[in-house]
Amino acid sequence: MMIRIGVLLLAMIFNVSIFAQSASSVLHDIQKLAVHGTVLYIAAHPDDENTRLLSYLVNEKKYRTGYLSLTRGDGGQNLIGDEQGIEMGLIRTQELIAARKVDGAEQFFTRAYDFGYSKSPEEALRLWGHEEVLSDVVWTIRTFRPDVIICRFPSTGEGGHGHHTASAILAAEAYDAAADPNRFPEHFKHGARVWQAKRLLWNTYSFEGMNTTRDDQFKVDCGGYNALLGWSYGEMSAQSRSKHSSQGFGVPAQRGTSFEYFETLKGTKPVNDLMEGVPTGAEAIVFKKPEQLNQYRRLLHEVVKQFTPLAPYQSVPALQEIENLLKLAEPSPLVQYKIVQLQNILRNVSGIFMEATVREQQIVAGDTAFITFSIINRNGLPMQAASADFTLHPSHHTQVTFKDTTINKTVQESRKIFIPVQAAVSQPYWLHASPNGLFTVSDQALRNLPEKQYPQVLFSFTLYGKPYQWSIPLQYKFTEPTKGEIYQPAYVTAPVHITLEPTQILYAQNSSPKTVQVKLEFNKNFNDTLKVLLHAGKKAFTVGREYLSIPKGQSWLASYPLPVGIDNASSIYATVESKSFASLQNATGSQDLSIKMIRYPHIPDQIYHRRDTVQLLNMDLKISGKRIGYIQGAGDKVADALKIMGYEVDYLQQSEITHDKLNMYDAIVTGVRAYNINDWLFEAYPVLMQYVHGGGVLLVQYNTNNRIAPLKAQIGPYPFTITRNRITNEQSPVHMQPGDHRIFNHPNKISPADFEGWVQERSVYHAGEVDPAYTQWLTMNDPGEKPLPGALIVAHHGSGKFIYTGLSLFRQLPAGVPGAFRLLANLLAR
C-alpha cells in the first residue's frame, strides 16, 4: 500500500519535464538531499498561499514544503473569460501548479467544492460535510507527514471569508486527528499511518488595514537572496503569485529584508528555529547499522563537494551509491520520498532526453494514432535496454525498443497504434460526477492530488547496470511561426462528440413548437447507420435513424422537434447508437459525450468530457423592446440569455458608441466588470448619458472598486460608490420596495417566487453612498445581519433610466433560474 501511495503521490510531486535543468538548479536539488524537514501550509483557495514564505522554506531552508488548498477556487470570479464553476476550478488548478513550479513547493487539494463567498465557517463546513473534508486534510497530513503545519488564517474570523476561517478550524482539528488511530481508520487500509506534527502555527499578517503581527511572535526574515538560483525570495514570490492571471494577481517583486510572523497554536513554541526539536539532518533516516548512517552523511557531503557544473552527469555514480544505501534503511515514507527525489535528480544530472508525441492532439477511441517515441543519451552514459511502453487498456499494449543509445544520438521509433474502443477518455479525476458540496473521488489515493496526467508513456532503461523507469506525459508537439516549438497535452476522446443548441429553451403552455439542433462531430471516419435519441428524465425518445458517410473531422447537423411527453422535464440530452461504436462492454455502441476545451496562453490546454444538455425552462416570460446593445466585460453569458429570451443582441465596440448608433437600441447592457477592464467606457460617459436622457435604458452589471480593479470615474448620471457588500446566501429573503411599482409589474409580475431557486449567491458589490436621485428597489440580508440596500438602484435621467445592479444575474441566467429572466426583462423595459 505504501508503494501505491508513492507511485501516485510522488509521481505528481516530481512533475517530469522534457527539458533538463541548469547545473545550478541541479546542484540546488542535490543540496536538498541532506535536509529532511517537512512543512505543510494550509488555506482555502488558490492564491491564498504566502508565496514568499513557500519560496523561502523550499529554497533557503530546503525543506520539503507543500500547500494544501481546501478548494480549487471554482466559485471565484474570472477576470480573463466567461468560465464559471468547475471550469474556473480547472483554470485555477493549473495556475496553482504553475505557481508551484516557480517556488518549488508541492500542491495538494481536498475534495471541497468552492461554492462562492461565504460569511461563516459554519456554512462552509455544513455544505462540504465537516467530517468528509476533515478526513481529506487528515489524509494529506498522514501521507505528507509534515513536521510543522502552518495556517494562513486564524480560526477566529479575522480572515473574513468563511472558507478562510474554516481552513484554520480544520487545520487545528486535523493536527490532533492525524495522530489519533481511532480517527479515520479507513486511511490505514490505503497505506497511511498516524502522524503527529511537532507544532501548528498561524502565519500572521499585515495587509488591507489589518495587522495581526506582534513583536512577541516568532519571526523569520524571508527576504533573502539565493545566489545559486540567481534571485531573491521576494522576486521568486512575485513570479509565483503572478501566475494567478484569472484573479488579476500580477504583482511587483519585493526585494530586501521582509519578516514573516508566526503565532503558535498547538505544540511547542519555536524560539530560534521553525524546526526546533525536529531532526532535519541525516539522522532523520533510521539505518540498521550505525556505520551506514555515517556513510550516508559522508556521501551526501561528497556528492555536493564533487559536483562539476560543466559535467553534472559525473555525479550519477555517487547518487546511485546514496540510493543503494537508502534501500538498506528502515522502510518509511521519508525513505521512500528520498529515493524518488534521488531518482529524479539522477534523471536531471544524466541529461537524458525523453519524449513521446502525437501528430494530432486528440487520440480517438476506436481509431489509430501515430506516436513518435524519442530518446537521446546526450552525455553518452552506459545506457542499456532502453524501451518505451504505451498502454491505454489491458487488451492493447505497445512496446518499442531503442537499439542504439550512444552519445547524443537521436533515437526515434514511430508507430501507428490502434486505440481500443474501451480506452477511457481523458477526464480530470474529480469531474466524473457533478459536485455536491464535495467532488466525488472514489480512489482514496487520488483525493489530494492536483491532477493525474493521462495518457502517459513509460520509459525504461539501465544506467551503470541499474534499472530506472520514468512516466512521461504523451504530448502534442507543433510549431507556431511566431512562438516556435509548442507542447500541449494529448488527450483521449470518444469517436463522436454530441452538442446541442440552444443551451436553453424557453417554453410555456400553448407556445409554438420548439426544436433542438443535434450536432455530431466525428473524430474518425464513419460509414454506418446511426440512431439518434433524446432523453428527458428516465424517458428516451428515438427521434432519428440516419445512414451517414462522414469523413473524420467533419460534422453533421439535424434539427428535431421536442418530443411530446417531456413537459415536466428540466433538461434533455442526446445519445447516438451505432454498431460501429460497439464493444463487449457497450453492445449498442451508445455515445453521449461532448468535449469542452479551455485554452489560455498561460496554462496548458484543459479538456473535460460531459453530456451536453439543453435546459427546458417552463416559464411565463414577456419582453418589452427588441434590440439590445451589449458591451462586453470580463466575461459572462448574459448576452446568450438575452438572445434566448427573444432579443436581438449586437456586441458593441468602442467605435460604435455614438449617438446615432445607440439610438437603434431599446436598451444597452454592460457585462460584468466592463468598467474595470474597458478604460474607454469613461470617455464614452457623455454619449451614454445622452442616450439615457433621450429615453434609453442603460443597465450596468456589477463592477468592483479595489486595488486590482479600481473605478476611475463616475458611471451613472448621479453619484454612487461601489462597496464590497454582498449577499452570499442564495436563499436570503428579498424585500421589494414597493412591490406594486412598475419595475416589478411590467411586463412581468415579479413576486417572491421569482427569487426562489437562485444559485451560489444573491448579489455582489452593492452600490453605496447613493445619491437621493436613485431609488433602491431591493433590500436583502444574510442570516443574522441587517437588511442591505444597494443591490439594485435605478435613476430616471431625462426620459430614460439608468440601472446599476449587483444581483448575480451572470450566475442565475446560465443556471436557468426563471425569476432572473423575468426580472431582467422588467429592468430592460422602457
Side-chain angles (χ1 to χ4, degrees):
M1 286 298 183
M2 189 187 298
I3 292 174
R4 182 167 181 260
I5 291 174
V7 169
L8 290 171
L9 181 58
L10 297 177
M12 174 277 299
I13 292 168
F14 300 104
N15 196 354
V16 178
S17 169
I18 64 166
F19 300 106
Q21 289 182 296
S22 66
S24 59
S25 294
V26 170
L27 176 57
H28 187 248
D29 285 344
I30 292 175
Q31 291 173 344
K32 291 179 184 178
L33 286 172
V35 182
H36 299 79
T38 304
V39 180
L40 180 64
Y41 200 86
I42 299 178
H45 310 106
D47 73 39
D48 284 346
E49 76 274 22
N50 184 338
T51 52
R52 179 171 54 213
L53 177 60
L54 295 183
S55 299
Y56 168 83
L57 293 172
V58 173
N59 299 289
E60 178 68 24
K61 303 301 291 184
K62 299 180 177 58
Y63 300 141
R64 184 187 183 193
T65 305
Y67 172 45
L68 173 60
S69 175
L70 295 187
T71 76
R72 295 177 183 269
D74 321 84
Q77 296 166 21
N78 187 353
L79 294 181
I80 60 174
D82 62 7
E83 293 84 5
Q84 299 177 20
I86 61 173
E87 294 180 359
M88 186 78 260
L90 284 169
I91 293 171
R92 299 186 73 184
T93 293
Q94 291 302 315
E95 290 175 342
L96 262 187
I97 291 172
R100 297 294 79 80
K101 289 179 180 178
V102 173
D103 56 45
E106 301 166 32
Q107 185 59 52
F108 304 101
F109 292 98
T110 74
R111 291 169 293 158
Y113 177 68
D114 180 357
F115 56 85
Y117 190 88
S118 175
K119 293 181 180 178
S120 75
E122 293 80 11
E123 179 190 41
L125 295 172
R126 173 176 55 82
L127 292 175
W128 290 334
H130 193 146
E131 284 294 288
E132 289 289 328
V133 72
L134 175 59
S135 172
D136 288 359
V137 180
V138 171
W139 169 257
T140 301
I141 291 173
R142 285 174 171 171
T143 53
F144 189 63
R145 302 171 77 80
D147 301 299
V148 176
I149 301 173
I150 303 175
C151 303
R152 167 78 282 191
F153 302 104
S155 61
T156 47
E158 292 93 330
H161 200 314
H163 296 181
H164 294 168
T165 306
S167 72
I169 292 171
L170 290 166
E173 293 176 346
Y175 175 89
D176 295 325
D180 185 348
N182 297 313
R183 296 289 275 144
F184 309 110
E186 64 274 14
H187 292 172
F188 308 136
K189 296 184 296 183
H190 300 279
R193 303 178 186 178
V194 293
W195 179 255
Q196 180 63 73
K198 190 70 175 179
R199 56 183 58 92
L200 172 67
L201 307 176
W202 168 32
N203 178 201
T204 57
Y205 49 82
S206 177
F207 57 81
E208 294 188 352
M210 179 177 292
N211 185 1
T212 60
T213 65
R214 299 192 313 271
D215 289 338
D216 63 343
Q217 293 172 346
F218 177 72
K219 64 180 181 179
V220 175
D221 181 5
C222 297
Y225 173 73
N226 192 310
L228 188 60
L229 298 180
W231 52 352
S232 71
Y233 303 122
E235 293 167 331
M236 192 180 297
S237 168
Q239 286 290 319
S240 176
R241 189 158 185 79
S242 296
K243 298 298 182 182
H244 298 288
S245 299
S246 68
Q247 306 305 295
F249 274 3
V251 295
Q254 295 182 348
R255 299 173 178 87
T257 298
S258 182
F259 284 96
E260 293 293 337
Y261 292 78
F262 304 89
E263 182 172 306
T264 303
L265 303 178
K266 289 179 179 285
T268 57
K269 181 178 180 179
V271 178
N272 298 308
D273 188 83
L274 196 69
M275 286 286 177
E276 281 176 6
V278 176
T280 60
E283 69 277 7
I285 303 296
V286 179
F287 287 95
K288 298 174 183 178
K289 299 177 181 179
E291 59 268 24
Q292 291 172 337
L293 175 59
N294 293 331
Q295 184 183 7
Y296 181 57
R297 284 196 177 103
R298 177 180 59 79
L299 290 174
L300 289 174
H301 173 75
E302 289 178 354
V303 74
V304 172
K305 184 178 179 180
Q306 297 173 5
F307 181 79
T308 305
L310 296 180
Y313 60 90
Q314 293 178 356
S315 296
V316 169
L319 291 167
Q320 287 183 324
E321 191 174 357
I322 297 172
E323 181 184 2
N324 293 337
L325 189 59
L326 278 171
K327 290 181 178 179
L328 300 177
E330 293 289 346
S332 71
L334 177 59
V335 169
Q336 186 181 19
Y337 166 76
K338 283 296 176 181
I339 290 173
V340 176
Q341 184 184 26
L342 250 170
Q343 289 175 346
N344 283 275
I345 293 172
L346 273 164
R347 188 202 161 188
N348 286 322
V349 300
S350 73
I352 295 170
F353 176 85
M354 296 170 277
E355 75 169 15
T357 60
V358 286
R359 289 183 178 177
E360 298 180 11
Q361 188 172 13
Q362 65 178 17
I363 302 168
V364 181
D367 201 5
T368 56
F370 197 88
I371 303 180
T372 298
F373 307 89
S374 304
I375 192 166
I376 308 175
N377 183 5
R378 288 187 280 209
N379 291 306
L381 295 175
M383 173 190 286
Q384 292 180 327
S387 65
D389 291 79
F390 179 66
T391 302
L392 291 179
H393 189 270
S395 63
H396 291 75
H397 172 244
T398 299
Q399 183 179 69
V400 300
T401 57
F402 303 104
K403 298 178 181 178
D404 183 3
T405 54
T406 52
I407 185 168
N408 208 31
K409 180 178 180 180
T410 301
V411 186
Q412 292 185 334
E413 295 289 340
S414 297
R415 297 288 187 276
K416 186 176 183 180
I417 297 173
F418 178 73
I419 308 301
V421 70
Q422 307 98 316
V425 298
S426 297
Q427 185 79 345
Y429 75 83
W430 63 96
L431 292 184
H432 288 287
S434 297
N436 184 18
L438 294 175
F439 291 106
T440 300
V441 181
S442 57
D443 188 339
Q444 179 70 50
L446 291 176
R447 285 188 176 179
N448 62 355
L449 302 191
E451 62 180 345
K452 182 184 178 183
Q453 294 181 323
Y454 169 85
Q456 293 197 338
V457 174
L458 183 66
F459 281 78
S460 306
F461 50 81
T462 66
L463 282 180
Y464 293 97
K466 189 175 180 62
Y468 292 96
Q469 290 185 329
W470 279 283
S471 286
I472 308 295
L474 183 63
Q475 296 183 292
Y476 170 54
K477 182 172 72 171
F478 62 100
T479 301
E480 166 66 48
T482 60
K483 299 178 181 178
E485 190 173 74
I486 295 175
Y487 289 83
Q488 288 290 358
Y491 60 88
V492 182
T493 193
V496 62
H497 295 154
I498 307 169
T499 56
L500 306 180
E501 290 288 345
T503 57
Q504 297 171 316
I505 293 178
L506 304 182
Y507 73 99
Q509 285 187 334
N510 303 320
S511 62
S512 58
K514 305 294 184 180
T515 62
V516 61
Q517 178 179 278
V518 178
K519 180 181 181 181
L520 305 181
E521 298 175 81
F522 288 91
N523 300 317
K524 55 177 288 190
N525 294 332
F526 184 83
N527 291 279
D528 205 346
T529 300
L530 180 139
K531 181 166 71 171
V532 182
L533 301 94
L534 293 178
H535 300 256
K538 296 182 179 180
K539 297 180 180 179
F541 305 87
T542 299
V543 294
R545 294 180 187 273
E546 317 284 347
Y547 179 82
L548 301 177
S549 180
I550 307 289
K552 178 179 180 176
Q554 298 297 308
S555 300
W556 176 82
L557 293 172
S559 293
Y560 300 105
L562 288 182
V564 176
I566 65 167
D567 296 344
N568 295 322
S570 60
S571 66
I572 59 172
Y573 69 93
T575 63
V576 296
E577 295 179 358
S578 174
K579 64 181 181 181
S580 292
F581 306 140
S583 67
L584 289 176
Q585 295 79 15
N586 182 7
T588 64
S590 179
Q591 302 289 321
D592 65 353
L593 294 178
S594 67
I595 192 170
K596 178 63 184 287
M597 176 172 283
I598 300 170
R599 179 169 284 166
Y600 287 103
H602 71 296
I603 60 172
D605 290 348
Q606 297 298 294
I607 70 100
Y608 71 99
H609 291 85
R610 61 177 181 178
R611 279 180 178 166
D612 203 26
T613 60
V614 176
Q615 294 176 337
L616 303 179
L617 307 179
N618 190 350
M619 70 176 78
D620 180 18
L621 175 71
K622 303 180 183 68
I623 64 173
S624 175
K626 196 67 177 175
R627 297 196 68 183
I628 305 291
Y630 201 86
I631 300 173
Q632 292 178 290
D636 60 64
K637 298 178 181 178
V638 174
D640 294 335
L642 291 169
K643 295 174 186 177
I644 291 166
M645 293 167 69
Y647 295 104
E648 298 174 11
V649 180
D650 294 331
Y651 292 99
L652 300 181
Q653 306 301 320
Q654 179 179 3
S655 61
E656 298 175 288
I657 309 300
T658 64
H659 177 72
D660 290 340
K661 180 72 172 181
L662 296 186
N663 282 339
M664 298 168 53
Y665 299 103
D666 298 294
I668 304 296
V669 180
T670 66
V672 299
R673 296 190 303 279
Y675 285 82
N676 294 132
I677 68 168
N678 297 317
D679 289 343
W680 58 264
L681 272 173
F682 301 111
E683 300 174 8
Y685 176 81
V687 180
L688 290 169
M689 291 304 103
Q690 183 182 19
Y691 164 76
V692 174
H693 194 274
V697 176
L698 174 59
L699 171 61
V700 175
Q701 297 184 79
Y702 88 87
N703 287 266
T704 62
N705 190 14
N706 55 34
R707 174 183 59 83
I708 297 172
L711 270 183
K712 301 176 181 177
Q714 187 172 325
I715 60 177
Y718 312 106
F720 67 92
T721 62
I722 293 178
T723 72
R724 297 182 65 84
N725 292 340
R726 60 175 76 197
I727 304 299
T728 64
N729 188 324
E730 65 273 20
Q731 300 177 11
S732 293
V734 177
H735 303 285
M736 299 178 286
Q737 305 178 20
D740 60 353
H741 192 273
R742 175 181 170 86
I743 202 169
F744 298 123
N745 290 276
H746 175 76
N748 302 288
K749 175 67 177 177
I750 303 299
S751 72
D754 288 296
F755 294 95
E756 295 175 358
W758 283 45
V759 299
Q760 185 161 324
E761 64 204 1
R762 288 284 191 209
S763 60
V764 294
Y765 302 109
H766 290 200
E769 300 179 24
V770 177
D771 189 274
Y774 292 98
T775 302
Q776 304 194 56
W777 292 109
L778 299 176
T779 60
M780 55 190 80
N781 60 279
D782 278 320
E785 297 184 355
K786 296 180 180 179
L788 285 176
L792 177 64
I793 64 172
V794 182
H796 290 282
H797 181 58
S799 56
K801 64 180 178 183
F802 169 87
I803 303 165
Y804 174 83
T805 183
L807 292 171
S808 60
L809 298 175
F810 69 101
R811 295 196 195 278
Q812 312 312 319
L813 296 170
V817 178
F821 285 88
R822 289 161 45 81
L823 179 59
L824 178 59
N826 283 25
L827 296 178
L828 296 177
R830 292 198 175 194

